Amino acid sequence: MSAALAGAVRQFSDTVGVLPPESTQQAVGYPSLFLLVALGALVPVVPTGAVVSSAAVVAFHQTSPLALGAVFLIASLAAFTGDVVLYWLGARGVRSRNGSRWLVALRDRAAPDRLEQARNRLATHGGTVLVLSRLVPAGRIPVMLACLLSHMSLRRFARGDAPACLAWAATYGLIGILGGSLFPEPWQGVVAAVALTVALSAAPALWRRARRARHAG
């Protein structure tokens, strides 16, 4: 049984280890990276951090010296585009007497205590809080909603969100570089990078749950 399992693992490794030419990877991967990250900024169905880290792993193993830079720029631009579009849609709901489904969706995704914290930090630190909001798991939406409720203009939001998206793309790109440097095969680095990003995303929620359970006990 162990010999059969080892053979299956080797066959799987050989299969996923065969990648298309770099030109094909870039032609397909760069537009896909932009679309997935921009979509993930609008709706919470795409783990955008894992997408960027995986793209960075693949770029790390490519021979082109510009591959990692391209991943960083595309991920930053896509995140910024998605954030600005979502903020614009939410601002329409704030201005409308009846609101909008986008504003309702943002409220549903922001826990009341996190929203209150975000409003306090926004009042204290201003637009600089946007930079940290993208680096803290589940921190982006409460801060964005706090900005909307404070009637921050789209231009001011965009000025604060641009460095936030650059810092976010750099952080997850570095995770991908770490995964790519630890393993010889790209698919191994992708698995490691995805596992690390998932762990980072889940850690704050698990910590808050453990604190609540400890206080309740």
Side-chain angles (χ1 to χ4, degrees):
M1 178 65 72
S2 58
L5 179 60
V9 171
R10 283 195 300 270
Q11 183 177 1
F12 174 77
S13 301
D14 293 339
T15 301
V16 298
V18 177
L19 294 175
E22 288 187 12
S23 58
T24 304
Q25 295 178 36
Q26 294 167 0
V28 176
Y30 291 160
S32 300
L33 173 63
F34 182 90
L35 290 175
L36 288 173
V37 172
L39 177 63
L42 288 170
V43 291
V45 295
V46 179
T48 52
V51 171
V52 175
S53 296
S54 300
V57 170
V58 176
F60 179 82
H61 285 278
Q62 291 180 348
T63 58
S64 172
L66 302 178
L68 282 170
V71 168
F72 168 72
L73 292 176
I74 292 170
S76 302
L77 180 59
F80 179 75
T81 301
D83 282 356
V84 168
V85 171
L86 182 59
Y87 193 83
W88 177 75
L89 292 169
R92 292 183 63 189
V94 171
R95 293 191 300 266
S96 172
R97 181 174 302 176
N98 298 323
S100 72
R101 65 184 183 91
W102 290 98
L103 184 60
V104 172
L106 287 172
R107 288 183 181 276
D108 291 342
R109 291 164 60 186
D113 58 331
R114 300 296 298 276
L115 176 59
E116 186 61 28
Q117 292 175 5
R119 299 186 76 165
N120 292 335
R121 290 171 183 167
L122 182 64
T124 304
H125 303 289
T128 56
V129 73
L130 284 167
V131 177
L132 291 177
S133 72
R134 259 202 167 272
L135 298 179
V136 176
R140 181 177 68 100
I141 294 302
V143 171
M144 181 181 291
L145 184 56
C147 293
L148 285 168
L149 296 178
S150 68
H151 300 281
M152 179 183 290
S153 67
L154 178 61
R155 180 176 299 181
R156 185 183 173 197
F157 173 82
R159 284 200 302 265
D161 192 59
C165 292
L166 291 172
W168 173 83
T171 299
Y172 283 98
L174 288 174
I175 292 175
I177 293 173
L178 176 63
S181 64
L182 292 177
F183 299 95
E185 296 294 336
W187 71 268
Q188 295 171 326
V190 168
V191 172
V194 170
L196 182 56
T197 55
V198 170
L200 289 174
S201 299
L206 294 175
W207 172 253
R208 289 194 299 271
R209 186 176 302 175
R211 287 185 61 187
R212 286 196 297 266
R214 187 168 62 248
H215 291 322

